[in-house]
Amino acid sequence: MTADPLHRDRYSRQAILPGIGESGQQSLAMAHAVVVGCGALGCGIIDQLARAGVGHLTLIDRDVVEWSNLQRQTLFDEADARSGQPKAIAAQRRAGAINSSLNISAQIADLNHENAVSLVVGNARPDLILDGTDNFETRYLLNDLAVTRNIPLIYGGVIARRGMQMTIRPGHGPCLRCVFPEPSSNGETETCDTAGVLGAAVSIVSSLQAAAAIDLIVDPARDFRPSLTEFDLATTRFRSIDLSNLATPQARAGCICCGKARYEFLSGERTRPAVTLCGRGAFQIPAGPSRIDLSRLASNVARVSPVTANEFFVRIIPREGVEMTVFADSRAVVRGTANEGEARALYDRYVGA
Ligand SMILES: [Zn+2]
């Protein structure tokens, strides 16, 4: 720990906490955390870890800042939305302004099975991975990566006024697929873009994630009790579900990931096929494994965007000049977008990954 009095003063209220101290502060300064997704959860996590003095942060995100982000994505401002700054870059700049002593790197990338190892693990294994993503495919990919590389993963999820958090410690408790074996099928789940999300609910989940990260860094050997915390602000009900029963190797034997060692998302086996160009300014998202309930999708989307539907397809207008047609087999054609990444992002936003 540096003897710099300003440095000491900065962390004084945290270092006096039982269980942290100067040595905990030193551990935080030496730690490397990878935050995947710099959206709502990512912003909250990054803000808190930067202020807490986590010395090395790697930030990964594929999107740019939009006006609809400002209500809950606390690292961004109007200038970022106006100029369409990449979120990873805007978050890096803001976190660096909060705490200039940190080493913060930013990657503008869509994390997938081909680049996940190099983006997350890179040249040096990080101490932990924080999930700030918004889709299950990427979450399961991170879970595969965490289990194969023995890296703790701090999962968080939020929608509407509800949220949940779970810390995954490979070898010490259940992985994400022990608890949620399969992603919900396309069109069956709501997304934050169709169901909405309260900024206050986001802050709770990102705080639970940041607290779990700090605890893990400060004392990795501490007694670990696997649990899932969930809440609903509509009823102000919080509960913690004890997952100790899933902690034994016998209990995990049936898990396809940490029990059977089949890493379907990291191997690419379960990855959605690539987006293809179909005609001028149009991209096709190929069909996934499950069919879509079109009437349910139409009613979810109708709350936020113009939509027309019939028995064959749902046509969504995300913004003027852009049109996405989703078919019952989960295939979609997106017209009027600039690139395939945007086509995929629109699909994830409205249909869900
Ligand atoms: Zn598992």
Side-chain angles (χ1 to χ4, degrees):
M1 172 81 29
T2 168
D4 179 352
L6 279 181
H7 186 87
R8 191 171 292 244
D9 194 37
R10 171 189 279 263
Y11 302 115
S12 60
R13 304 302 188 277
Q14 181 170 281
I16 58 170
L17 287 170
I20 295 187
E22 286 293 309
S23 69
Q25 206 54 56
Q26 175 111 34
S27 301
L28 290 168
M30 301 290 290
H32 178 199
V34 176
V35 184
V36 182
C38 302
L41 290 176
C43 280
I45 294 164
I46 294 160
D47 182 68
Q48 297 193 53
L49 296 190
R51 290 179 195 278
V54 174
H56 184 185
L57 296 171
T58 297
L59 317 180
I60 303 169
D61 194 280
R62 67 181 180 186
D63 285 328
V64 297
V65 180
E66 296 175 50
W67 285 93
S68 65
N69 301 150
L70 300 182
Q71 160 255 352
R72 66 195 178 284
Q73 300 190 12
T74 52
L75 295 178
F76 310 135
D77 59 26
E78 293 184 356
D80 296 321
R82 208 174 289 119
S83 61
Q85 281 292 307
K87 290 183 183 181
I89 301 298
Q92 178 192 36
R93 198 174 48 216
R94 174 74 183 138
I98 289 166
N99 191 340
S100 61
S101 71
L102 310 179
N103 168 12
I104 307 170
S105 57
Q107 302 280 356
I108 307 168
D110 181 22
L111 194 86
N112 58 49
H113 75 278
E114 288 174 327
N115 63 18
V117 172
S118 71
L119 283 176
V120 175
V121 181
N123 300 321
R125 178 182 169 279
D127 296 292
L128 71 173
I129 303 168
L130 289 118
D131 170 19
T133 67
D134 57 0
N135 67 83
F136 259 94
E137 187 175 321
T138 314
R139 288 193 165 116
Y140 284 138
L141 175 62
L142 290 178
N143 187 61
D144 280 357
L145 191 63
V147 170
T148 54
R149 304 283 158 149
N150 192 26
I151 303 169
L153 168 65
I154 300 180
Y155 159 75
V158 63
I159 191 159
R161 294 175 174 82
R162 307 185 301 276
M164 59 171 63
Q165 190 272 323
M166 173 183 165
T167 299
I168 293 147
R169 294 195 66 184
H172 297 272
C175 80
L176 193 60
R177 292 194 77 182
C178 289
V179 181
F180 304 107
E182 285 295 319
S184 305
S185 57
N186 284 339
E188 297 298 313
T189 52
E190 294 178 302
T191 73
C192 286
D193 293 273
T194 58
V197 59
L198 194 70
V202 171
S203 294
I204 293 171
V205 176
S206 60
S207 291
L208 290 170
Q209 290 178 284
I214 290 167
D215 279 350
L216 251 179
I217 293 167
V218 167
D219 185 7
R222 77 160 50 203
D223 196 23
F224 175 66
R225 288 200 47 192
S227 62
L228 175 76
T229 302
E230 62 175 19
F231 65 85
D232 186 347
L233 291 179
T235 54
T236 59
R237 181 171 302 172
F238 282 69
R239 67 171 181 163
S240 176
I241 303 164
D242 183 7
L243 301 176
S244 300
N245 59 326
L246 293 173
T248 63
Q250 295 89 323
R252 291 188 277 113
C255 172
I256 193 156
C257 176
C258 73
K260 297 181 174 162
R262 273 192 56 199
Y263 308 108
E264 298 176 306
F265 290 85
L266 190 57
S267 68
E269 207 178 315
R270 290 281 297 269
T271 306
R272 292 169 296 174
V275 175
T276 54
L277 191 64
C278 63
R280 217 167 135 197
F283 294 90
Q284 175 168 267
I285 317 282
S290 45
R291 294 181 67 79
I292 282 184
D293 181 339
L294 290 177
S295 58
R296 189 163 171 176
L297 174 66
S299 68
N300 280 346
V301 173
R303 284 181 263 164
V304 290
S305 288
V307 59
T308 53
N310 60 31
E311 61 188 301
F312 306 110
F313 62 76
V314 172
R315 184 162 288 153
I316 303 162
I317 312 292
R319 61 165 193 273
E320 204 178 311
V322 178
E323 173 192 286
M324 176 164 64
T325 307
V326 184
F327 300 91
D329 66 356
S330 75
R331 187 173 58 87
V333 174
V334 185
R335 291 177 202 286
T337 64
N339 59 61
E340 92 171 59
E342 192 191 6
R344 174 68 85 187
L346 285 171
Y347 187 87
D348 288 349
R349 177 180 301 178
Y350 287 95
V351 185

